[in-house]
Amino acid sequence: MTRMRLYVNIDHVATVRQARRTDEPDPVAAAALAEAAGADGITAHLREDRRHMQDHDIERLAVSVRTLLNLELALSEDIVALACRLRPFQVTLVPERREEVTTEGGLDLGHDPTRLGAVIGRLTEAGIRVSLFVDPTIESVERSRALGVPALELHTGRYAHRWPASDAALAEIVAAARRARELGMAVHAGHGLTYRNVTPVAAIPELEELNIGHSIVSRSIATGIGPATAEMRRLVDAARVTN
Ligand code: PXP
């Protein structure tokens, strides 16, 4: 079986920075560390409300990512224009609602297919691979195929939410992934995947790429706060020794 690609979503590194509107932690530096540790790609979502990633982050990622950059965006004119200018390797189109805490469902492919088709056309014309973030249903897969995209990302939120009683949700993902492969599309998956629930999804042979963000950033804090505290302890103590 081929190796699953792991894309690390670094949005929440920027969430912590935006809590103080300072320059740390830097999501671009975090991206480089994730790449050095084995990430196959970096994912970032430039939201309309700019709650975490900022335009200048995306500009810097576009030139600094050494693996592949997957930019998530909604159908927002200025962000689509930014993507066409920066030309990341891949754009994943996602739905966005201002009041949501995170991307809560897949794209509504029946809502405005003309507009969606036009954006897919512009991005493709710019040389960008386009993927659609959709719910894991046969209908979403077939509609994505009709829109002519080479890839789609199955929303694993329902699976994650129901974990560990998530067999039915896992079966939906498997069925949707099989249908997408039959139709010749590349299949990605993501949302809500954690160190506890990732294994059954990572084992689905039809999937070739996972996007994981919150859990990896959370784990970084959990594993990093000890050494970070020890470093500050040393500095504070050293000040008393020398003065
Ligand atoms: N895939 C898509 C399309 C997303 O919008 C997100 C969240 O930004 C993720 C994957 C990653 O989700 P999580 O942060 O829960 O791992």
Side-chain angles (χ1 to χ4, degrees):
M1 213 183 289
T2 54
R3 184 168 174 270
M4 176 77 85
R5 294 193 298 271
L6 172 62
Y7 274 55
V8 177
N9 180 317
I10 52 166
D11 292 346
H12 294 308
V13 178
T15 301
V16 175
R17 181 193 60 195
Q18 293 309 106
R20 286 290 173 90
R21 295 199 163 55
T22 175
D23 59 359
E24 65 172 8
D26 179 12
V28 177
L33 291 170
E35 289 181 302
D40 298 294
I42 298 298
T43 296
H45 183 175
L46 187 62
R47 293 187 70 101
E48 287 173 16
D49 61 12
R50 308 298 198 273
R51 68 171 74 151
H52 36 55
M53 301 302 293
Q54 306 296 307
D55 296 45
H56 62 82
D57 293 321
I58 306 300
E59 304 254 0
R60 288 189 302 140
L61 286 170
V63 292
S64 68
V65 165
R66 300 201 174 280
T67 53
L68 296 168
L69 178 61
N70 173 39
L71 179 60
E72 295 177 356
L73 53 94
L75 302 189
S76 159
E77 178 48 41
D78 65 321
I79 301 178
V80 172
L82 182 84
C84 288
R85 180 165 63 77
L86 297 179
R87 298 189 197 197
F89 168 72
Q90 179 168 281
V91 159
T92 301
L93 293 174
V94 300
E96 224 174 84
R97 285 188 293 122
R98 281 189 181 241
E99 66 278 16
E100 71 189 0
V101 173
T102 180
T103 318
E104 281 163 8
L107 282 165
D108 179 356
L109 299 173
H111 172 60
D112 192 350
T114 311
R115 183 158 169 241
L116 187 55
V119 169
I120 293 169
R122 278 174 65 194
L123 294 165
T124 307
E125 187 81 357
I128 303 165
R129 183 173 194 254
V130 180
S131 175
L132 304 180
F133 187 48
V134 298
D135 290 323
T137 66
I138 302 296
E139 190 192 356
S140 303
V141 169
E142 292 179 347
R143 285 190 172 197
S144 302
R145 183 73 200 95
L147 284 159
V149 288
L152 52 77
E153 179 177 339
L154 298 174
H155 194 310
T156 51
R158 213 167 82 88
Y159 162 82
H161 187 65
R162 303 209 164 177
W163 177 264
S166 46
D167 287 358
L170 184 68
E172 284 175 1
I173 296 168
V174 170
R178 285 198 181 137
R179 183 69 185 128
R181 286 301 305 137
E182 274 169 17
L183 294 172
M185 279 181 285
V187 200
H188 312 159
H191 207 282
L193 297 177
T194 67
Y195 294 82
R196 283 189 300 279
N197 68 24
V198 72
T199 302
V201 174
I204 299 172
E206 288 81 5
L207 295 181
E208 54 185 72
E209 183 173 308
L210 295 182
N211 274 290
I212 307 181
H214 185 265
S215 189
I216 293 176
V217 175
S218 303
R219 180 62 62 105
S220 316
I221 294 173
T223 57
I225 198 152
T229 303
E231 190 181 340
M232 186 59 86
R233 175 81 266 164
R234 280 194 299 276
L235 271 177
V236 169
D237 290 347
R240 291 299 173 106
V241 170
T242 51
N243 289 337

